[in-house]
Amino acid sequence: EAPFSIAVNPHYLFMSERHRNALAHLLYGVGVGGGFILLTGEVGTGKTTITRCLLEQLPENTDIALILSPALNGIELLATVCDELGITYNTTEQSIKILVDKLQQFLLANHANGRNTVLLIDEAQHLKFNVLELIRLLTNLETNTKKLLQIILVGQPELRTRLNKPELRQLAQRITARYQLKPLNLAETKAYIQHRLLVAGLPANQQLFPNHLIKPIYKISRGIPRLINVLCDRMLLGTYGQHKTTVDKATFKQAVIEVMGEEEDLHPQPWYFFKPALLFSVVITAALSIALWWN
């Protein structure tokens, strides 16, 4: 298999400490039931892969409604949720009340049959304010002892920023578990590359990426798994085209140009290359500090 495909594949999930924590937060939130679960992270950090892994570990008595395109109005969102759960409704007479009533009947029947219902919304940063408020109201569907609908919101960091706004404080207060998935560090980047190669079938005694290239890969990708995948895939292609068995520095540089659009600076500039204005400010600040100390 291609080890660095950007397709979402839980089989290749690299369980770093932060990924384990993210999955644990989701599983805990689903187990507790009620309210919201929030998972945020930068583009390409592995949020969607984590959610796919979550879906594989949900109990058998769980019905899931998965929303992948949340740029919808309230009625469209409710209709999509009903479609995902197999709830029948009159398509010619759609209103928020009719759809919510249908959804509530389904949730009560599910609860009576000992089943749980989960709504998972990916790319939730695109949800409009009025739709977020409608989603909050869905958590009011409950019995005396249990919420009937568990909602998982997955999105980029701006989703967390939006939820911190005063007008959404009622929703924010109902979040029972939250986690921000951060990029990999240098050691995790090395382990991530090796992990994907081994899963794809590379013999353990063969090394395609020399150790001296790991740090430049980490620096260019900033530890974001999707960028690591794209860079490494391009490097493997270049190495194969040259009939080589190990990635070299020239192939790495060419991959950076092709993937990033320009050749990134791989070495920090020495201090004397700083901009003159910045250097002047440093000198003036130092002189004033010495003068004050002398006085």
Side-chain angles (χ1 to χ4, degrees):
E1 297 179 341
F4 298 107
S5 170
I6 61 174
V8 177
N9 187 348
H11 184 54
Y12 281 87
L13 177 62
F14 174 70
M15 293 302 290
S16 69
E17 181 179 358
R18 61 203 72 202
H19 285 82
R20 286 195 298 270
N21 288 338
L23 183 58
H25 275 72
L26 295 181
L27 290 171
Y28 169 79
V30 172
V32 170
F36 291 87
I37 306 173
L38 180 65
L39 174 64
T40 57
E42 286 292 345
V43 177
T45 50
K47 301 184 299 298
T48 302
T49 305
I50 287 289
T51 58
R52 294 297 188 276
C53 189
L54 170 71
L55 296 180
E56 293 183 350
Q57 299 189 35
L58 288 176
E60 293 184 358
N61 65 335
T62 303
D63 291 313
I64 180 77
L66 181 61
I67 308 296
L68 300 177
S69 301
L72 308 169
N73 60 37
I75 292 180
E76 291 171 338
L77 179 72
L78 289 173
T80 304
V81 173
C82 290
D83 293 338
E84 286 284 311
L85 296 174
I87 302 173
T88 58
Y89 58 92
N90 189 345
T91 57
T92 61
E93 296 181 7
Q94 293 185 17
S95 70
I96 290 180
K97 182 181 185 307
I98 291 176
L99 293 174
V100 170
D101 289 344
K102 288 284 187 179
L103 180 59
Q104 184 174 19
Q105 293 172 12
F106 174 87
L107 294 175
L108 287 171
N110 248 18
H111 175 66
N113 294 326
R115 299 189 63 82
N116 299 320
T117 310
V118 175
L119 169 60
L120 193 156
I121 303 177
D122 202 358
E123 302 294 343
Q125 73 276 358
H126 295 303
L127 290 171
K128 300 176 182 178
F129 170 78
N130 59 333
V131 178
L132 281 169
E133 183 63 14
L134 174 61
I135 293 172
R136 180 187 70 82
L137 294 176
L138 291 180
T139 60
N140 291 335
L141 304 176
E142 59 187 357
T143 65
N144 291 333
T145 59
K146 182 182 178 181
K147 297 284 187 182
L148 297 176
L149 183 63
Q150 175 70 69
I151 301 175
I152 303 175
L153 299 178
V154 181
Q156 297 170 18
E158 49 264 36
L159 172 62
R160 190 175 56 172
T161 303
R162 289 188 64 191
L163 295 178
N164 287 333
K165 293 183 178 180
E167 58 267 29
L168 289 173
R169 63 186 181 279
Q170 293 187 66
L171 191 156
Q173 291 173 1
R174 299 190 183 194
I175 297 175
T176 57
R178 64 177 72 202
Y179 192 84
Q180 181 171 0
L181 188 62
K182 296 182 179 179
L184 305 175
N185 58 32
L186 177 59
E188 290 169 339
T189 298
K190 179 179 179 179
Y192 174 82
I193 294 173
Q194 188 64 21
H195 166 79
R196 294 192 69 103
L197 290 170
L198 291 176
V199 171
L202 180 74
N205 61 349
Q206 187 174 353
Q207 187 178 27
L208 294 179
F209 295 88
N211 289 329
H212 66 84
L213 285 182
I214 300 300
K215 189 172 183 180
I217 293 173
Y218 168 71
K219 181 178 183 295
I220 294 298
S221 67
R222 304 186 303 280
I224 297 176
R226 185 178 298 166
L227 289 180
I228 296 174
N229 285 0
V230 175
L231 276 171
C232 289
D233 184 70
R234 179 58 60 180
M235 281 184 272
L236 287 183
L237 178 61
T239 302
Y240 172 78
Q242 300 174 61
H243 304 287
K244 297 180 179 179
T245 57
T246 304
V247 180
D248 56 26
K249 192 171 183 179
T251 304
F252 165 72
K253 289 183 176 180
Q254 184 61 34
V256 171
I257 295 173
E258 294 177 2
V259 171
M260 308 302 291
E262 59 182 2
E263 186 170 7
E264 296 283 343
D265 183 15
L266 304 181
H267 304 285
Q269 294 286 0
W271 67 270
Y272 47 79
F273 279 96
F274 284 178
K275 293 183 178 180
L278 178 59
L279 184 59
F280 178 75
S281 299
V282 172
V283 172
I284 292 299
T285 302
L288 290 175
S289 301
I290 292 173
L292 290 172
W293 174 81
W294 182 260
N295 289 334

